[in-house]
Amino acid sequence: MRSIWNGAISFGLVSIPIKLVNATESHSISFRQIHVSDGGRVRYRKVCELDGEEVPSAEIGKGYEEADGSIVPITEEDLAQLPLATAKTIEIMSFVPAEEIDPLQMDAAYYLAANGATAAKPYTLLREALKRSRKVAIAKYALRGRERLGMLRVVDDVIAMHGLLWPDEIRAPEGVAPEAEVSVREAELDLADALMATLGDVEMTSLHDDYREAVEAMIVAKSGGAFEPTEAVVEPAGGQVIDLMAALEKSVRAAKASRGEADTSGEAEAEVTPIRRKAGARAGAGAGAGAAAPKAVGGKKSTAASAKKTAASAGTKKKTTSTAGKSAAGKSSSKSTAKSTAKTAAAKKTGAAAAKKAATPRKRTSA
């Protein structure tokens, strides 16, 4: 592999001559710009703004544009004379545990190769020291006109260096997390853990770029004149919310099936619940915006159970009302019976008095 930078690793008083080699490569497919009407290649020409002439690469240098638009020329000699200790040296500053490095800082990766026979011994010493300490080295280096931060670690029997972004180049994730407060139940976490365990590990070397392969196949087909475009199937989006618990359970079953494991859960399929719109939002929304508030996540109560509960509640109310009505009717009946009994007794008393009076002989009055 061709080296892109030559220098040395400064390890205390130890200096290790090394060569910097790219550890990664891009396999993305590059396209050229063409004139659509005739297929002609469209190129960029580097033209001087002052004389309008095209400038060859050998005559192109660097310059810094100031606020007023004027250009300050900067030559390679100017940059080489800067008092920069890392211009040709990867200067190790400290050794830290690997977990202290935020993956967000990771940038380009390089291999560090020993440059010459004399570099083999100190190179091996640093490599073995990194292995035994289980730490990584934090270093500064200069590449392509700027000072950079790097992390040295061991990959197999080679020292690799990852370029790191400076801490002030990492943006804070403000306004990225969901603003609404969301609670996650233990049952949902248990299902998520089960899904993670079922998916298991993946062999990283088996992963590949499906999109690039599809583009390459299309190019081969078009160059041979046998390309027949097919319309991609796109699932409709919006207006639906998947029941989280059911979706997790279905995912676990699917993962087990893909691994040849039997599924004995017997759970229901994932449900799609329409979103109910709020009353205040109906006036301004269009006919196609009938979206809905999702139902409570993770519940296992069905609509039938809810209806049954409502019916039972209504039946209880009806029974209570009927009992109250019977009680009131009973009281009214008792009151009417008492009144009727009193009237009957009064009538018998009046009748007895009349009979007694009729039976008593009347005295004759003398003339």
Side-chain angles (χ1 to χ4, degrees):
M1 290 185 285
R2 186 175 62 87
S3 64
I4 61 173
W5 184 88
N6 293 336
I9 299 175
S10 175
F11 177 32
L13 297 178
V14 178
S15 181
I16 310 171
I18 57 98
K19 296 183 294 185
L20 197 67
V21 179
N22 277 322
T24 62
E25 58 185 1
S26 174
H27 289 166
S28 61
I29 299 174
S30 300
F31 297 104
R32 301 295 187 183
Q33 290 187 329
I34 63 171
H35 189 194
V36 176
S37 61
D38 55 18
R41 172 84 180 272
V42 176
R43 298 178 181 271
Y44 289 104
R45 298 176 60 203
K46 298 179 180 180
V47 178
C48 177
E49 291 183 351
L50 297 180
D51 56 20
E53 297 292 331
E54 186 173 355
V55 182
S57 299
E59 298 181 11
I60 296 177
K62 294 183 178 70
Y64 177 79
E65 184 176 2
E66 294 188 315
D68 59 358
S70 59
I71 302 294
V72 179
I74 303 295
T75 65
E76 294 297 331
E77 291 75 15
D78 295 334
L79 296 174
Q81 293 175 3
L82 292 175
L84 188 61
T86 57
K88 282 294 181 180
T89 304
I90 298 175
E91 183 180 357
I92 294 178
M93 299 179 295
S94 65
F95 295 86
V96 300
E99 55 268 20
E100 290 189 10
I101 305 301
D102 190 339
L104 283 174
Q105 288 186 258
M106 295 289 187
D107 202 358
Y110 308 94
Y111 290 135
L112 303 182
N115 193 3
T118 58
K121 181 62 180 284
Y123 183 96
T124 305
L125 172 64
L126 176 59
R127 183 191 67 196
E128 296 304 315
L130 285 171
K131 279 185 179 180
R132 189 167 71 171
S133 67
R134 297 183 179 180
K135 293 183 177 181
V136 297
I138 302 300
K140 283 184 178 182
Y141 67 102
L143 182 65
R144 297 189 180 98
R146 55 170 292 196
E147 188 174 54
R148 302 168 187 264
L149 193 62
M151 179 191 75
L152 278 62
R153 69 183 184 98
V154 178
V155 177
D156 295 332
D157 287 332
V158 175
I159 298 176
M161 182 174 70
H162 295 269
L164 298 179
L165 299 174
W166 295 99
D168 60 358
E169 292 179 320
I170 304 296
R171 299 174 62 183
E174 296 177 357
V176 179
E179 296 181 0
E181 293 185 4
V182 180
S183 60
V184 179
R185 301 189 300 112
E186 288 296 327
E188 294 167 343
L189 284 174
D190 291 342
L191 274 174
D193 290 340
L195 177 58
M196 293 167 64
T198 305
L199 290 176
D201 300 328
V202 63
E203 186 65 35
M204 296 298 292
T205 56
S206 67
L207 302 178
H208 58 279
D209 188 347
D210 293 326
Y211 179 77
R212 176 172 60 86
E213 292 180 358
V215 172
E216 289 174 346
M218 178 192 66
I219 292 172
V220 172
K222 291 199 75 170
S223 63
F227 177 68
E228 295 183 2
T230 57
E231 185 176 353
V233 178
V234 180
E235 294 292 335
Q240 293 180 335
V241 172
I242 296 178
D243 185 289
L244 183 57
M245 288 290 289
L248 285 170
E249 291 165 354
K250 185 177 180 181
S251 299
V252 171
R253 292 198 304 274
K256 286 183 178 179
S258 67
R259 296 167 66 90
E261 300 178 13
D263 176 50
T264 58
S265 61
E267 296 292 340
E269 295 292 323
E271 299 177 358
V272 177
T273 305
I275 308 174
R276 291 193 300 272
R277 295 168 54 196
K278 295 182 179 179
R282 292 178 182 174
K295 72 176 185 181
V297 175
K300 290 189 176 181
K301 294 183 179 178
S302 64
T303 306
S306 178
K308 185 176 180 181
K309 184 176 180 182
T310 304
S313 177
T316 303
K317 290 183 179 179
K318 185 175 181 180
K319 185 176 180 180
T320 304
T321 305
S322 175
T323 304
K326 288 181 179 180
S327 177
K331 290 181 180 179
S332 177
S333 176
S334 299
K335 190 174 181 181
S336 299
T337 303
K339 287 183 178 181
S340 176
T341 304
K343 287 181 178 180
T344 302
K348 287 181 178 180
K349 189 175 181 181
T350 304
K356 186 177 180 181
K357 184 177 181 181
T360 303
R362 300 174 73 180
K363 293 183 179 181
R364 299 175 60 95
T365 304
S366 58

